[in-house]
Amino acid sequence: MDARSLRARAALGPALLAATQWGRNGAAPAATGDVVHSEEMVSGAGGAALAQARARRQEAIEALTAATMRALSGRRELHYRSRRVFHGAQPLPRWAPHLQPPLESTGDFAVFRGAADGIALRLLLSDAALHRRLANPANEAGSPNAANPASPSSPATQATQAGAGSAPAAGASTAAHPAARMLFEVFEQLRVEALAIRTLAMPGLAHNLTRCFEAWSLAYHVAGHTATARGLLVYCIVQMVRARLTGEPAIEPDEGLLEATRASLGPALGVPLAGLRGELHDQARYAAHAWAVASHVAQMLASADEEEGDGVRFGVDGDDAEDDEDDRRTVAFNFWIEPPEAGFEERAALAASGTSPLLAAPGERYRIFTTAYDREAPATALARAAMLQELRTQLDARIEAARLNLVHIARDLRALLARPAVAGWQGALEEGRIDGARLAQLVASPTERRLFRSERIEPRASDTLLTLLVDCSGSMREHAPHVAVLADVLARALEMAGVACEVLGFTTGAWSGGRAARDWQRAGRPCHPGRLNEALHIVFKAAHTPWRRARAGMAALLKADLFREGLDGEAVQWALARQAAWAQEQPPPAAGAMTAGPAARRLLLVVSDGSPMDSATHQANDRHYLDHHLRDVVARAEAAARASGPDAGITRIFGLGVGLDLSPYYARSHVLDLAGGGVRMGVVREVMGMLARAGWR
């Protein structure tokens, strides 16, 4: 894209110019200043207030930066979901470490604006299809002739041969090193940012980009990564490339930090570094020089690994050679690609999801081969009483060891979920409405002033139902103790807060299809049979059952043989139907209630650690049949909620991923790390923070 096109894009209008230039002084607009600094105002409040303040700050930053990205890139589908930028339903790649500033890393809003501007510029100024071809060493995309295949002696070829020294050409084995690929991604990001800084007349945008990169550079140094030879090498080459492209000085937290490393790299990489600046406007020619630099640095890092033996490791068992090799290939450089303070949620894997050709075909719908063996059962009917008593003892011991403050949790949940409601009258006041019952006192005592009354307003949450829907598939078995603690504590705390709660579970009656699959085989194996297993829906605690009476049923969450396979889409439909039935049983709003909506409000929290899985259904249909159905079910429920308005009593669905990001299925989701320390107050606050981010109040 030439300079004229860039200036045309910059002339999108006053809204774009305003969006890209405010924040010059490193602060958010006045309208959001109170939100951005809300944590300081509630530092002495309870955990829920702090969680809500953090959520409001995160929501404000994401809303503002998403608007900026949409305006600058011209792509209306950009939005945030679970702290990740999505284009439509697809998450955007994390191209460079400085584009991921953690919420707590800084109070300077320009850092977040710079990250948003960098993402928008990547979408605007980089050809994604061309970049994918150039980034694939197997296609020799980064080879010298990729820029001009017809010219064997092109400038890029000369740059690679003269500047890379002994580094292998792009497309060779070193180029496939993960460090080379990661550096290549970062160099392309630096190209688009430098192109904008040098071409667009937007000083606010340039300031934000520089401030964002400075913040990451300082955080990288403070985290101690520059104290190692490999970390300093990566830091130095990134600084050298950016300085060469933008003309701005490299960032040296300590004087002379880069001098020796820069001097050693200069002779070998002088020509390709000069080529990077000269080919800034040509993405293909720029890529040849970028691969030359990345390959040379990757070879130096690989040589250092061989000399020092182990390299960089993070949480990998050194006794497992295969795991060590995987670690070297995939996470050897997470220490600089990921921000130093990245949370567990930002590192969690994304749930695998795809499109089912069968369900995507016109006129097709989700099928069930037979419902003859489906059943819904209370948890107490699935285990002997003696076993449930033993499991309850184990669960109580785990809850006691977790040292959770139920009173505080109940208070915070009440503050989060309650709505103001009229709870009678308060009399003997000096202002308000005249109280006819006290007028006689005016005759006996003419100076009496306490003749008025007013409505007594109290927070009430009795019109709210929260359902925990627990995935009881086989992979959840290892997380069952922690999930049982979380479910039991939430159920008890919600009851103390006056909120109706039910705990449900879903699994299958058998492995590999059971009787349903045998019936299908006897029927001649017809094509596209649909769901091919026995659905088992478990009620651990019903909404109308007090926690004390449901204690035994809750303990069944620890019964290992209940965990088989998972039919998530049908389970969500079942939970929604139960909530709708509960709402129909609720009385209408009391006369004079302050809330204009209906009496019943519903929340559905799905706790899962992966995608829907049933082997028989996948083999007889296709591998994405169940997760496609789950997405359809959630999408229909969300569409109904949007069409009915925020106070129409429609269920809001949340996804709680146990070590996995469920955002491909649930628009409102959060990742829980239960493997580290189990269920602690921090985990409960994360759940409440997710509810607060959804704007439930």
Side-chain angles (χ1 to χ4, degrees):
M1 185 176 293
D2 56 19
R4 182 178 302 175
S5 300
L6 289 174
R7 292 191 178 94
R9 174 68 76 176
L12 287 173
L16 172 58
L17 294 177
T20 55
Q21 294 196 24
W22 58 252
R24 182 79 180 274
N25 59 354
T32 63
D34 293 340
V35 176
V36 171
H37 299 287
S38 57
E39 284 184 316
E40 299 175 2
M41 296 185 293
V42 297
S43 59
L50 180 59
Q52 291 182 28
R54 285 169 44 84
R56 286 194 297 269
R57 183 188 177 201
Q58 181 79 38
E59 184 178 356
I61 290 174
E62 290 180 354
L64 291 168
T65 54
T68 300
M69 287 188 290
R70 290 191 292 267
L72 185 57
S73 66
R75 304 196 182 192
R76 296 181 296 176
E77 299 84 2
L78 291 174
H79 64 281
Y80 274 92
R81 183 189 300 175
S82 297
R83 304 182 186 179
R84 185 86 178 265
V85 181
F86 277 69
H87 185 265
Q90 297 298 322
L92 293 183
R94 288 169 171 163
W95 291 299
H98 63 280
L99 300 183
Q100 310 163 49
L103 180 64
E104 298 83 1
S105 63
T106 178
D108 188 350
F109 190 75
V111 173
F112 301 101
R113 278 297 319 279
D117 291 341
I119 293 172
L121 290 171
R122 181 63 175 262
L123 296 172
L124 177 63
L125 303 179
S126 180
D127 186 332
L130 175 61
H131 180 74
R132 283 193 296 270
R133 294 197 300 272
L134 296 171
N136 187 357
N139 295 336
E140 297 185 356
S143 64
N145 293 336
N148 185 359
S151 177
S153 59
S154 64
T157 303
Q158 300 170 10
T160 305
Q161 294 173 347
S166 61
S173 60
T174 305
H177 193 284
R181 176 59 188 273
M182 292 177 184
L183 285 170
F184 182 73
E185 291 289 343
V186 175
F187 293 164
E188 175 62 14
Q189 180 63 36
L190 296 178
R191 183 187 75 86
V192 299
E193 294 182 10
L195 195 60
I197 291 174
R198 294 173 55 181
T199 310
L200 295 180
M202 294 184 177
L205 180 142
H207 168 79
N208 292 335
L209 292 174
T210 301
R211 181 69 190 92
C212 179
F213 187 78
E214 288 176 351
W216 170 79
S217 300
L218 295 175
Y220 182 97
H221 177 69
V222 170
H225 300 317
T226 55
T228 66
R230 283 185 291 271
L232 182 58
L233 175 60
V234 170
Y235 181 82
C236 182
I237 193 60
V238 172
Q239 295 291 337
M240 289 175 65
V241 170
R242 188 178 190 277
R244 188 65 64 95
L245 296 178
T246 63
E248 299 176 354
I251 300 170
E252 295 189 72
D254 295 334
E255 185 177 357
L257 175 67
L258 305 180
E259 183 176 352
T261 308
R262 185 161 43 197
S264 65
L265 291 174
L269 298 179
V271 174
L273 285 174
L276 290 176
R277 183 178 178 89
E279 303 294 351
L280 192 62
H281 295 267
D282 190 323
Q283 183 175 346
R285 290 181 177 271
Y286 175 93
H289 299 289
W291 267 124
V293 176
S295 299
H296 183 81
V297 175
Q299 187 184 43
M300 296 178 66
L301 292 166
S303 300
D305 284 346
E306 292 176 2
E307 293 175 2
E308 298 182 20
D310 286 330
V312 182
R313 295 286 190 273
F314 288 96
V316 178
D317 188 350
D319 295 333
D320 192 334
E322 184 178 352
D323 289 348
D324 284 353
E325 181 62 24
D326 292 340
D327 181 58
R328 181 184 300 275
R329 291 182 176 275
T330 58
V331 299
F333 287 89
N334 279 354
F335 73 100
W336 69 273
I337 280 294
E338 292 288 347
E341 295 156 6
F344 174 79
E345 182 175 4
E346 297 174 3
R347 302 192 304 268
L350 196 67
S353 178
T355 300
S356 167
L358 294 175
L359 294 180
E364 283 295 338
R365 57 180 178 79
Y366 181 76
R367 300 181 184 181
I368 301 174
F369 183 73
T370 179
T371 60
Y373 308 109
D374 297 351
R375 59 176 177 149
E376 174 184 326
T380 52
L382 302 176
R384 294 177 292 104
M387 174 180 286
L388 290 177
Q389 184 177 0
E390 180 182 351
L391 294 175
R392 185 68 230 186
T393 302
Q394 297 176 14
L395 181 55
D396 288 338
R398 289 182 176 274
I399 294 174
E400 183 178 359
R403 303 180 64 86
L404 300 172
N405 192 323
L406 274 174
V407 175
H408 287 182
I409 296 174
R411 182 192 61 196
D412 294 343
L413 285 171
R414 181 180 177 87
L416 180 63
L417 300 176
R419 294 190 291 185
V422 177
W425 294 90
Q426 182 177 2
L429 301 176
E430 295 186 359
E431 59 181 7
R433 299 181 183 181
I434 295 177
D435 187 355
R438 300 181 66 88
L439 289 178
Q441 296 183 12
L442 185 61
V443 177
S445 178
T447 60
E448 179 61 55
R449 295 183 178 182
R450 294 174 296 175
L451 305 174
F452 301 90
R453 66 174 185 171
S454 66
E455 293 177 334
R456 185 171 69 254
I457 307 300
E458 293 181 354
R460 286 186 178 177
S462 57
D463 60 348
T464 301
L465 169 63
L466 189 148
T467 298
L468 275 173
L469 179 61
V470 180
D471 175 9
C472 295
S473 61
S475 60
M476 281 287 287
R477 186 182 294 118
E478 62 177 301
H479 307 297
H482 301 314
V483 172
V485 171
L486 179 63
D488 194 83
V489 168
L490 284 179
R492 189 174 180 185
L494 286 166
E495 182 175 295
M496 294 169 63
V499 180
C501 172
E502 65 178 358
V503 181
L504 310 175
F506 62 94
T507 182
T508 57
W511 292 96
S512 302
R515 291 171 290 181
R518 291 194 291 271
D519 286 354
W520 172 68
Q521 293 170 357
R522 284 192 290 265
R525 300 173 179 264
C527 295
H528 185 191
R531 188 255 288 172
L532 206 59
N533 206 329
E534 311 168 19
L536 174 57
H537 294 156
I538 307 172
V539 180
F540 295 102
K541 177 188 178 301
H544 56 78
T545 304
W547 172 84
R548 187 173 297 277
R549 289 173 49 197
R551 291 178 73 252
M554 294 292 293
L557 279 166
L558 297 178
K559 191 172 187 293
D561 58 2
L562 290 181
F563 294 78
R564 297 186 184 94
E565 299 187 87
L567 308 170
D568 298 49
E570 292 185 51
V572 171
Q573 288 179 314
W574 169 61
L576 293 175
R578 286 182 62 92
Q579 288 194 330
W582 175 86
Q584 293 295 325
E585 299 172 357
Q586 302 309 301
M594 294 185 64
T595 52
R601 299 189 304 169
R602 289 108 73 185
L603 300 89
L604 175 59
L605 275 65
V606 183
V607 184
S608 178
D609 72 335
S611 304
M613 178 60 195
D614 177 60
S615 57
T617 302
H618 285 176
Q619 292 171 8
N621 298 275
D622 60 68
R623 60 191 298 263
H624 293 301
Y625 193 77
L626 293 176
D627 58 85
H628 188 130
H629 178 242
L630 172 60
R631 289 200 314 274
D632 285 348
V633 169
V634 176
R636 287 196 298 269
E638 296 289 350
R642 288 192 297 270
S644 303
D647 295 322
I650 302 298
T651 297
R652 295 192 181 185
I653 305 177
F654 302 81
L656 280 175
V658 182
L660 191 75
D661 185 356
L662 299 180
S663 58
Y665 305 115
Y666 307 99
R668 292 177 286 267
S669 63
H670 183 74
V671 183
L672 293 178
D673 181 11
L674 300 181
V679 179
R680 295 291 185 264
M681 285 296 294
V683 172
V684 179
R685 291 193 181 105
E686 288 179 25
V687 176
M688 290 188 286
M690 179 185 65
L691 300 177
R693 287 196 300 273
W696 179 249
R697 293 294 302 277

